Amino acid sequence: MDMQIRPRRLRYGEALRKMVRETRMDQSSLIYPIFVKEGSGIVEEIPTMPGQYRYSIDTMGRKLEALIDAGVSSVMFFGIPDHKDEIGSGAYAEDGIIQKALQKAAKEYPQLYRITDVCMCEYTSHGHCGVLCGQEVDNDKTLELLAKTALSHVQAGADMVAPSDMMDGRVAAIRNMLDQNGYCTTPIMSYAVKYASAFYGPFRDAAGSAPSFGDRKSYQMDYHNSREGIKEALLDVAEGADIIMVKPAMSYLDMVTKIRDTVQVPVAAYSVSGEYAMIKAAASLGYIDEEKIICETAASAFRAGCDIYLTYYAQEIAQYIQEGKIG
C-alpha cells in the first residue's frame, strides 16, 4: 500500500518511543501529602487509604527518609491536633502540631521542601473551613485566622503555604500578612480551583475533618462549572498566588488544561484520596494492574498541562521514573 505518512513509524522500539514522547515527568515535580498527629510512637494505617499512615512527629522521619531516597524532594504537611475548638486555634498556635512538625523537619531534613496546607477544617470542632456565624462560614472573619495560620507556618519553617479553604480574598490576606512580616519571597500555592467533591471522602477519614453538619458547597465549587474555575484562578493570581492548583485531578483534567491555557504561573493538580482509594481497592481485587494505572493516571495529569503533581503515590512514581517505566 502506498502511504507517505505512517504514524506507526515512531512507535517501533522503546528507545524511539521515549525519544519522541510529548509528555515528560521529573521527580522534582512530585509532592507527597503527609499526615502528622499528636502523640508518640504512632504509625497508624488509614483504613480507607491502605498503605497510607498517620505519623507522630517522632516517627514521621521514616517516611521522609523513604521519600528522599526515592527522589521526592517536596512534602505537604497536614496536621491532626488533639484539641479542636470553634475557631480552630490549633491551626495557628506556636506549639501546634504542624508548627512542631515543621521545626523538626527543617532541622533534621533540610533538603526537603516543606509546604503546608492552610485551612481550618482539621482544627475546628465543627469541621468547617472557617469561623461560623450561625450555620454559615463567615468569609471575612476567617481571613484573619488564615493569614495568622500561614504566618505561623512560615515562622516555624514552611517554605511555601497552600491555602485550601476557598474563602474569597484569602490569597490577598495571606500575601499581605507574609509581606508585612518580612516573608515577601515565600510563595503561595493556591487551591484556586477546588471542587466540592465526593473524591475527598477518605481524606476526611484520615484527617478527621468531616463537617459535623451541612456540607462545603457554599465555598467549594460546583462540579458542573468550568468558567467559574477560570474566574477563581485569575482572581487568585491577581491577589498574589504564585502557583494555581486544580483539585481533584482525575475527573477534572479538562480544568487543568483550561487553567494552563489561561494563567502564566505554574499549575498543580492534586490526585486526591478518593482516586488513591479507588486504585487500591480495584488492585486488591485483581481488577487492574496497580503499577500501570499509577503511571497512566500520573501521565494523564501532566499531559493535561500540570507542572506539579500532588499524589499519595509520589514515592512509587519517583521510583518508576528512576526505573524508566514512566517519564
Side-chain angles (χ1 to χ4, degrees):
M1 190 173 220
D2 183 19
M3 285 191 287
Q4 295 293 318
I5 300 173
R6 291 179 179 264
R8 288 185 58 198
R9 286 194 196 106
L10 297 182
R11 300 175 195 157
Y12 286 98
E14 184 69 11
L16 179 58
R17 288 193 294 271
K18 286 185 176 180
M19 182 191 303
V20 300
R21 185 166 286 167
E22 298 174 20
T23 301
R24 299 182 186 273
M25 286 169 279
D26 186 87
Q27 294 162 323
S28 63
S29 63
L30 302 172
I31 299 174
Y32 178 76
I34 188 169
F35 299 97
V36 185
K37 67 179 297 183
E38 299 281 5
S40 62
I42 298 170
V43 180
E44 182 177 82
E45 188 168 31
I46 301 165
T48 52
M49 299 176 69
Q52 298 301 310
Y53 298 83
R54 305 179 190 96
Y55 300 92
S56 50
I57 291 174
D58 62 324
T59 63
M60 69 178 182
R62 66 184 68 179
K63 183 61 177 180
L64 298 181
E65 289 171 6
L67 291 165
I68 292 167
D69 289 344
V72 178
S73 57
S74 300
V75 175
M76 180 178 284
F77 289 87
F78 292 87
I80 306 170
D82 275 345
H83 170 73
K84 301 186 180 191
D85 57 33
E86 287 291 304
I87 58 172
S89 60
Y92 46 86
E94 283 188 22
D95 61 347
I97 180 62
I98 284 293
Q99 289 78 0
K100 291 186 290 188
L102 286 167
Q103 290 164 2
K104 185 175 179 67
K107 180 180 179 181
E108 298 186 6
Y109 305 98
Q111 67 272 52
L112 274 179
Y113 194 80
R114 300 171 298 278
I115 308 166
T116 59
D117 176 80
V118 176
C119 195
M120 311 301 294
C121 63
E122 292 132 279
Y123 304 91
T124 55
S125 53
H126 45 75
H128 279 283
C129 298
V131 180
L132 293 182
C133 180
Q135 297 289 295
E136 297 294 332
V137 174
D138 188 315
N139 188 98
D140 294 4
K141 288 183 179 178
T142 300
L143 298 183
E144 180 182 352
L145 300 186
L146 292 169
K148 284 177 63 176
T149 299
L151 177 61
S152 73
H153 288 181
V154 176
Q155 290 173 331
D159 297 302
M160 178 189 291
V161 292
S164 62
D165 54 283
M166 288 299 286
M167 297 298 114
D168 293 339
R170 91 291 188 138
V171 172
I174 292 171
R175 184 73 274 155
N176 290 337
M177 177 69 82
L178 295 180
D179 289 357
Q180 290 167 10
N181 286 273
Y183 297 104
C184 58
T185 61
T186 300
I188 297 172
M189 176 165 60
S190 172
Y191 290 66
V193 189
K194 180 178 179 180
Y195 287 87
S197 172
F199 282 98
Y200 304 149
F203 174 92
R204 291 174 182 173
D205 173 49
S209 61
S212 59
F213 66 89
D215 54 41
R216 295 176 178 148
K217 292 181 179 179
S218 69
Y219 41 103
Q220 294 178 0
M221 285 179 52
D222 183 341
Y223 60 73
H224 297 83
N225 298 350
S226 63
R227 293 193 301 273
E228 183 184 15
I230 294 171
K231 177 174 70 175
E232 289 278 9
L234 290 173
L235 283 170
D236 282 7
V237 170
E239 290 179 16
D242 302 282
I243 300 170
I244 293 295
M245 185 197 298
V246 176
K247 181 183 181 185
M250 182 185 290
S251 293
Y252 297 85
L253 296 183
D254 61 318
M255 292 308 303
V256 173
T257 300
K258 289 179 181 180
I259 299 303
R260 168 74 287 153
D261 292 342
T262 300
V263 301
Q264 300 300 312
V265 299
V267 175
Y270 194 153
S271 181
V272 298
S273 59
E275 300 172 42
Y276 175 89
M278 288 193 304
I279 293 172
K280 275 291 182 184
S284 71
L285 294 171
Y287 294 165
I288 60 171
D289 183 314
E290 184 175 7
E291 180 180 304
K292 290 180 179 178
I293 291 289
I294 293 169
C295 293
E296 188 172 339
T297 52
S300 70
F302 285 94
R303 188 184 66 242
C306 82
D307 305 290
I308 300 164
Y309 193 49
L310 294 89
T311 171
Y312 300 97
Y313 280 120
Q315 184 176 332
E316 290 84 351
I317 293 170
Q319 291 168 342
Y320 298 153
I321 291 172
Q322 191 171 15
E323 295 166 1
K325 296 176 180 177
I326 187 176

